């Protein structure tokens, strides 16, 4: 668990896209994000107060979160100076970078000297069990996609927000680095050892109130040749009561697999239900979330209407329309 | 790659079952097994010459393979003495034990001093790629099971033997610790990091002659809630041209999952084909391998005849009948 609230480190991000982790925290956990720290020439701005390390500490921030991707896989000397100083002030540091904080001897030494923790969310910090397959109390919803990066995390976070607004009990359960940095905990599933994948998702979504929903962040796709095993473990470990199908209708082929088209929504629905019902015979698909960013408004609305008619289920783009209709669909389960 | 041939270390195995790794090597790679080394009170016997370390070295053995499971997860002082001496004589040591050779400082020091290698086959020694999904030349057959431990490794090894006898080009591709110790290399799939599972199987089964078959050892089951992700990665990474269904008809529930019955062979066939055709639309099921160890001969033969009639495919128990009919089925693909 990463101590909150955060000071968001934007470094020398060349543009807003490079700071998308910070943006995710700002958008979805505004209470966690009390200030930003930028180096000269930073091209990103979260519209948060710019604070020094000491100012942010005095304002209550307890973890410096690296909210920016670094170039070339190296922590630059410019960054390093800030990180070392942050440990001195008293901050923990959290990072989803490929090159780990714990592999930097100077950071390790400084963290030890000041009694602080380096949170490398890219690697698991827990020894997960082998999945037991036991049923748990409470309800679970999983976002399943026709491809990687079609909006599964966004959908689950939008649903989390909509359910909170509707007074429903729900918890977003992060399974990827960005989601973990946004919420402060979760399972970095793509880095878990094969035998423990399903068990890690059982661990992440334990017994809960009967009317509580875990909103599990999906990963990959059951039809994606590189990552389908991860998607399979999510669905068998999560034992979802409800699935939300996520899709991006304009993509020419699956991410990283030229020549391999995405499955249709119908194929995806059939596959996901067949697999999910091994774990939970009551599982059903409750809605469809479409990423229509590449379409203009009339085309997007026409497409959503078409999908909704075909499946008889709410089909929405949560970015354009919010996720209230998906929350209603879960309330009806 | 583990240097061959082997001296099989049986230690103080209390009974033959404790030495099943050694038995697997003896049965399937007799050319690799030139001698055995037993401690006093050993209850297992591979019917190989008992040799001292020096005698085995002089006879050509190059790796001491730990062919026995240890009790309590500890390498006992009795064993340790032999292992240290083996490194002195010049042997590498190979082990599939849970407690790793490399975690024992004395063994590490001795291996270094004598320029030998400790092969812990339980953990990957290779940095596997992310799967590319590209098609490869040559043919691949995967054993898929209705459960864990239903005979997938045995089936693939029996097929390997039958195909060699029939003059066909084939290679057994190990994906588990026992298989790796039997053949000398492979991928310890259950210990691979999630993101690289499918890629590790692509790595294991590279381009080959058009008439060459990789016989891929299966793991888990697509319907097993604890391990289905591993099975999924095998089928999407392997891109098999042919599947052989493996089944054990008397088992009351899936291994480790009380109350969860095995899928029927028909359900298994449908699931496996649906998933496999994402990777290779030409994939077909060519035969069924049944572990009938718990049935008497008339019951076994009646069951096999029934399955064969239902599916119109050869159904055999390779332990009772050999795998020649499965090899013929592959020859016909």
């Amino acid at each position: 668990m990463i101590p909150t609230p955060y000071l968001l480190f934007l470094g020398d991000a060349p543009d807003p896209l490079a700071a998308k982790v910070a943006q995710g925290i700002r958008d979805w956990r505004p209470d966690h994000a009390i200030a930003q720290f930028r180096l000269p020439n930073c091209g990103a701005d979260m519209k948060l107060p710019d604070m020094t390390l000491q100012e942010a500490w005095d304002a209550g921030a307890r973890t410096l979160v690296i909210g920016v991707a670094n170039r070339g896989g190296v922590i630059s000397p410019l960054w390093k100076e800030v990180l070392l100083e942050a440990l001195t002030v008293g901050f923990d540091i959290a990072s989803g970078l490929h090159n780990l904080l714990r592999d930097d001897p100077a950071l390790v030494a400084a963290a030890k000297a000041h009694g602080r923790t380096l949170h490398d969310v890219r690697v698991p910090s827990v020894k997960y069990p082998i999945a037991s397959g036991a049923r748990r109390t409470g309800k679970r919803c999983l976002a399943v996609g026709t491809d990687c990066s079609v909006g599964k995390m966004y959908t689950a976070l939008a649903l989390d927000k909509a359910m909170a607004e509707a007074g429903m009990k729900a918890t977003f359960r992060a399974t990827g680095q960005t989601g973990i940095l946004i919420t402060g905990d979760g399972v970095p599933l793509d880095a878990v050892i094969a035998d423990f994948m399903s068990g890690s998702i059982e661990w992440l979504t334990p017994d809960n109130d009967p009317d509580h929903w875990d909103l599990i962040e999906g990963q990959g796709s059951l039809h994606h040749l590189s990552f389908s095993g991860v998607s399979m473990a999510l669905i068998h470990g999560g034992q979802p009561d409800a699935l939300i199908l996520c899709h991006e209708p304009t993509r020419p082929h699956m991410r990283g697999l030229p020549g391999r088209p995405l499955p249709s929504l119908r194929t995806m629905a059939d596959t996901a239900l067949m697999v999910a019902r091994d774990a939970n015979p009551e599982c059903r698909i409750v809605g469809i979330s479409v990423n229509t960013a590449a379409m203009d408004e009339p085309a997007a609305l026409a497409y959503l209407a078409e999908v909704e008619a075909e499946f008889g289920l709410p089909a929405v783009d949560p970015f354009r329309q919010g996720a209230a209709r998906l929350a209603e669909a879960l309330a009806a389960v």
Side-chain angles (χ1 to χ4, degrees), chain A:
Chain A
M1 197 85 187
I2 303 170
T4 55
Y6 303 149
L7 170 62
L8 301 181
F9 177 73
L10 308 188
D12 46 358
D15 52 49
L17 196 63
K20 68 179 181 174
V21 168
Q23 191 66 54
I25 296 169
R26 174 75 170 108
D27 289 346
W28 298 110
R29 290 295 180 272
D31 292 352
H32 287 183
I34 62 175
Q36 62 186 6
F37 186 103
R38 299 189 290 171
L39 291 166
N41 302 320
C42 181
D45 183 2
M46 298 299 124
K47 311 289 183 200
L48 289 169
D50 285 289
M51 291 191 190
T52 65
L53 294 167
Q54 192 60 54
E55 285 167 351
W57 177 266
D58 293 340
R62 289 299 172 260
T63 301
L64 181 78
V65 174
I66 299 185
V68 53
N70 58 337
R71 283 167 293 182
V74 180
I75 298 179
S76 71
L78 267 178
W79 285 26
K80 183 81 80 63
E81 199 177 313
V82 179
L83 303 186
L84 288 170
E85 173 71 14
L87 292 166
T88 308
V89 171
F91 289 97
D92 281 8
I93 304 178
S95 160
L97 300 177
H98 264 290
N99 45 331
L100 305 181
L101 300 172
R102 70 183 64 169
D103 289 342
D104 186 304
L107 290 176
V108 170
K112 193 170 174 205
H114 298 285
R116 308 317 320 162
T117 302
L118 303 174
H119 304 271
D120 282 306
V121 303
R122 191 162 285 275
V123 290
S125 56
V126 170
K127 193 167 156 34
Y128 302 114
I130 298 237
S132 73
R135 297 302 305 272
R136 286 152 280 158
T137 52
K139 294 192 170 73
R140 284 153 200 88
C141 172
L142 174 67
V144 296
T146 53
D147 195 4
C148 305
S149 308
V150 291
K152 293 183 292 289
M153 183 184 80
Y154 192 97
T155 299
L157 283 164
L159 201 43
D160 184 48
K161 184 161 179 266
M163 291 171 83
E165 286 166 1
M168 297 171 68
K169 294 184 198 169
T171 309
F172 171 75
R173 299 297 190 183
T175 63
Q177 285 78 13
T178 302
I180 294 172
L181 286 174
I182 290 174
T183 60
D185 64 1
V187 168
L189 186 58
D190 64 9
V192 171
I193 298 283
D195 247 5
F196 305 98
M197 294 186 298
S198 183
S200 75
I201 302 305
E202 290 190 349
W203 174 91
L204 182 67
T205 60
D207 281 328
N208 215 316
D209 296 343
D211 59 342
H212 175 276
W213 283 92
D214 277 328
L215 305 170
I216 309 173
E217 181 191 355
Q219 296 292 338
S221 168
L222 289 170
H223 290 278
H224 194 293
L225 300 187
S226 311
F227 307 117
S228 54
V230 175
S231 311
M232 190 76 160
L234 267 165
I235 208 162
H236 275 171
Q239 301 193 11
D241 304 274
L243 299 175
I244 292 177
L245 302 183
C246 299
H247 188 48
E248 204 286 63
T250 70
R251 199 170 285 185
H253 61 76
M254 297 193 86
R255 194 173 166 92
L257 302 178
R260 297 207 179 256
L262 277 65
S264 69
L265 272 169
R266 176 61 67 192
T267 298
M268 187 69 240
D270 291 347
T271 307
L273 268 189
M274 190 201 66
V275 168
R277 286 181 172 162
D278 263 349
N280 182 349
E282 309 298 317
C283 184
R284 66 185 89 168
I285 296 169
V286 297
I288 298 162
S289 174
V290 184
N291 177 346
T292 63
M295 306 164 89
D296 64 23
E297 182 93 0
L301 297 181
Y303 181 83
L304 289 167
E306 184 189 310
V307 169
E308 183 145 342
E310 182 187 347
F311 285 85
L313 292 169
V316 303
D317 181 337
F319 187 80
R320 289 183 194 267
Q321 304 166 313
R325 292 184 64 219
L326 298 177
E328 284 163 28
L330 286 184
V333 170

